[in-house]
Amino acid sequence: SIFELPDFDGHEQVVFASDSQSGLKAIIAIHNTHRGPAMGGCRMWAYPDSTVAATDALRLARGMTYKNAMAGLPIGGGKAVIIGDARTSKSPELFRALGRAIDQLGGRYITAEDVGTSPADMTFVREQTRYVAGLSGDLGGTGDPSPATALGVFVGIEAAVRHRLGVDSVNGLTVAVQGLGHVGYDLARRLHEAGARLIVADIDRANGERAAAEFGASVVSPDEIVDAQADVFAPCALGAVLNRQTLPRLKCSVVAGAANNQLATDDIGEMLRDAGVLYAPDYVINAGGIIKVCAEYLQEPVDSVEDRVRAISGTLDEVFQMAERDGIATSRAADTLARTRFA
Ligand code: NAI
């Protein structure tokens, strides 16, 4: 049962939802609602079986509790997963059925887009429930959250270099950016404008070439970016980029980027610390997007968002100071601080 899965962590509620007409098979996991209704996106993935899907839902929902608490948001953590191939199995009916399942939870869970789903899919969810955020502009949404995420990562990098290198800005520093997508490209622009030198990599060559032309970035291959001679490494592509193979190759003194789940395993946090690398915990530094989506959902003024995203810098200061004081990894300090905020 769910209760025996290793990723079960006292989750408040786990709902299996199905709809035979649309083929919906979904799992909604609500981890913790002490701070408010659980918010987290809906992932669509071709999971091999329902145990793998449930494990992912449990893990992602718990992650949202930590992330939302550290961002100081009045929401808890939850996540939905749809079992299915996002390229072939989507239909308006599928997302309407999901919307009905979410509506039955009466507001305990609020969904949004995630890997495999889009604002357009959320339009169909919205037809059945108001418990959905991250909508496109024509439905009262505020559009792409990536620029807010990039701003949070930028101020987070500033906080990290202040703490680790004692400098006030990234001016003159070298930053290696892995992945120039929605977040990475905007981050690169901000870093360039602030006077940083850039080393970049993307599996899509065109992105690198654009960054070279626009920001004077040096482009290296995706295989080489981990080895880049830089002050800061900013992972903005995939998860698990910090692992036993990549760790010895890092030349930087700060790792601070947008990618989710950067640590392949928890002990990598300690290994980074032992190696003298300051790690900005991913879910703290990349919260800009959820801060924006949450404000949109709560219909808070748009101009309050920027200040709150910039406050990520202060939260990271707290994490860095606690880690130093207690002689622990920053990843562990963040988890501890988060737990006090949602307990
Ligand atoms: P994206 O899909 O727009 O960009 C990812 C970029 O990385 C693409 O340009 C892709 O070609 C490149 N890439 C993929 N594998 C690579 C590799 N091995 N080496 C170099 N480049 C590679 O995604 P987005 O939205 O920019 O997100 C980036 C990361 O940040 C993801 O891990 C995402 O989960 C995380 N994140 C994004 C948020 C947002 O607001 N978009 C919010 C919080 C986290």
Side-chain angles (χ1 to χ4, degrees):
S1 90
I2 281 280
F3 299 118
E4 274 77 48
L5 291 179
D7 282 284
F8 179 74
D9 174 43
H11 289 66
E12 290 177 15
Q13 192 176 11
V14 181
V15 174
F16 287 70
S18 75
D19 175 68
S20 50
Q21 269 186 348
S22 64
L24 176 74
K25 284 200 183 94
I27 302 171
I28 302 168
I30 296 175
H31 177 250
N32 185 295
T33 59
H34 291 177
R35 295 180 64 88
M39 189 185 279
C42 172
R43 182 163 293 195
M44 184 163 184
W45 196 256
Y47 295 104
D49 60 54
S50 58
T51 306
V52 178
T55 295
D56 209 28
L58 292 175
R59 187 178 59 83
L60 294 167
R62 181 184 52 209
M64 289 312 296
T65 299
Y66 282 76
K67 180 173 191 158
N68 294 341
M70 281 306 267
L73 298 171
I75 50 175
K79 203 90 180 185
V81 303
I82 298 176
I83 302 171
D85 190 329
R87 289 165 305 181
T88 54
S89 307
K90 279 190 185 180
S91 68
E93 256 324 305
L94 182 95
F95 286 100
R96 289 188 189 111
L98 177 75
R100 287 192 292 276
I102 290 169
D103 202 61
Q104 283 169 359
L105 293 170
R108 283 179 48 74
Y109 168 68
I110 300 152
T111 200
E113 62 167 309
D114 194 67
V115 174
T117 63
S118 67
D121 300 329
M122 293 306 126
T123 312
F124 303 115
V125 176
R126 181 70 184 88
E127 289 176 13
Q128 306 292 325
T129 184
R130 60 196 168 91
Y131 304 120
V132 51
L135 297 164
S136 50
D138 47 340
L139 274 169
T142 52
D144 185 8
S146 308
T149 305
L151 172 62
V153 175
F154 176 75
V155 299
I157 290 175
E158 285 183 324
V161 298
R162 198 162 47 235
H163 188 84
R164 182 68 174 75
L165 304 172
V167 294
D168 270 337
S169 91
V170 295
N171 190 15
L173 298 182
T174 303
V175 183
V177 183
Q178 178 187 44
L180 296 165
H182 289 95
V183 180
Y185 202 85
D186 203 47
L187 173 67
R189 181 182 57 74
R190 285 184 182 277
L191 291 165
H192 169 67
E193 286 168 0
R197 278 189 296 269
L198 295 171
I199 303 174
V200 300
D202 196 295
I203 47 172
D204 184 343
R205 280 184 63 111
N207 289 342
E209 281 161 19
R210 211 175 123 210
E214 244 185 294
F215 315 135
S218 315
V219 186
V220 299
S221 78
D223 295 335
E224 292 170 328
I225 190 75
V226 172
D227 307 288
Q229 194 72 51
D231 301 290
V232 179
F233 175 50
C236 297
L238 317 161
V241 63
L242 304 170
N243 55 50
R244 285 187 159 66
Q245 284 71 48
T246 55
L247 209 76
R249 292 165 50 193
L250 292 175
K251 313 278 191 301
C252 58
S253 47
V254 167
V255 174
N260 277 313
N261 304 316
Q262 291 172 34
L263 305 180
T265 48
D266 285 348
D267 58 344
I268 300 288
E270 267 81 35
M271 292 169 76
L272 282 163
R273 176 176 169 271
D274 294 344
V277 177
L278 181 68
Y279 168 63
D282 46 16
Y283 67 82
V284 182
I285 195 172
N286 73 13
I290 189 78
I291 291 171
K292 181 173 177 227
V293 169
C294 181
E296 171 200 313
Y297 181 77
L298 298 173
Q299 299 189 326
E300 290 171 347
V302 184
D303 50 6
S304 71
V305 172
E306 177 166 340
D307 284 349
R308 274 193 260 166
V309 174
R310 287 186 180 276
I312 287 174
S313 158
T315 309
L316 280 171
D317 284 338
E318 243 182 287
V319 170
F320 296 152
Q321 278 159 19
M322 177 179 180
E324 207 164 80
R325 190 193 64 213
D326 298 349
I328 56 175
T330 53
S331 49
R332 206 166 289 273
D335 288 353
T336 305
L337 273 174
R339 277 193 287 268
T340 65
R341 293 181 177 195
F342 69 75

